[in-house]
Amino acid sequence: MEVIDNIYQHRDAHEFTLGVYLDLQKAFDAVNHEVLLYKLNNFGIRGVVRKWFNNYLSGRKQFASIAGVYSEIKTISTRVPQGSILGPLLFLLYVNDISNAVPGAKVKHLADDTNLFLHGTNLAELCCKANTSLEQLHKWFTANKLSLSIGKTY
């Protein structure tokens, strides 16, 4: 509702709205533990609580089992534990600062979907603004070791 209301406000002001719908590739699986712990520290999660998160994320192992055949056990250095209560919360904390990457733009999140909304009175300027915003987002994705699912991005 907030997005639609915002679009109508800009339309009433005779402005164009450009929406970019970004889908993160394997978002929950791509969360880098080092980067996440760094961000938690920046959010003020330090001391014993940060050590608890470090312990929660570190030393995790996984394997696959199909019809009684087991794969090799691998140590995991990325991803948040799926099926856990903390998984979605940790992912949201991981991507929480994406809005800082694109000043002046509306960035909305829904799970691993990120939507960017830009407004302007001139279509050519709006396209330039969109390209600049996408370059800024690309830098943020690279710094945070995330990538887009191009086939699901519009």
Side-chain angles (χ1 to χ4, degrees):
M1 292 299 291
E2 180 185 345
V3 170
I4 292 170
D5 186 50
N6 189 268
I7 290 170
Y8 279 130
Q9 285 177 9
H10 285 278
R11 193 181 108 203
D12 291 344
H14 306 289
E15 292 182 328
F16 296 99
T17 297
L18 185 140
V20 182
Y21 302 90
L22 308 159
D23 186 84
L24 297 175
Q25 187 172 0
K26 298 184 180 184
F28 283 69
D29 292 339
V31 172
N32 181 283
H33 293 172
E34 268 185 53
V35 174
L36 176 59
L37 289 167
Y38 176 81
K39 289 183 178 206
L40 291 176
N41 189 65
N42 285 344
F43 286 129
I45 299 171
R46 299 183 180 106
V48 173
V49 176
R50 187 178 182 284
K51 287 180 184 176
W52 182 83
F53 276 109
N54 186 43
N55 186 47
Y56 178 73
L57 295 168
S58 301
R60 289 193 166 267
K61 298 181 185 302
Q62 75 175 22
F63 68 93
S65 170
I66 300 173
V69 178
Y70 298 93
S71 71
E72 186 179 329
I73 296 174
K74 298 276 188 175
T75 301
I76 302 169
S77 62
T78 59
R79 78 178 45 162
V80 289
Q82 293 188 16
S84 70
I85 293 172
L86 285 177
L89 174 65
L90 291 173
F91 176 75
L92 289 174
L93 290 171
Y94 193 80
V95 297
N96 186 55
D97 61 341
I98 194 170
S99 297
N100 299 336
V102 193
K106 289 260 186 211
V107 179
K108 295 291 182 187
H109 301 285
L110 180 61
D112 61 341
D113 294 321
T114 302
N115 302 322
L116 170 69
F117 295 97
L118 302 163
H119 309 281
T121 55
N122 180 304
L123 281 178
E125 288 176 19
L126 190 56
C127 286
C128 287
K129 191 189 241 186
N131 285 327
T132 300
S133 297
L134 289 172
E135 286 174 12
Q136 293 167 326
L137 282 173
H138 175 71
K139 288 178 186 174
W140 185 90
F141 289 134
T142 301
N144 288 278
K145 303 180 186 214
L146 295 172
S147 59
L148 290 176
S149 176
I150 300 301
K152 296 179 179 179
T153 296
Y154 300 93

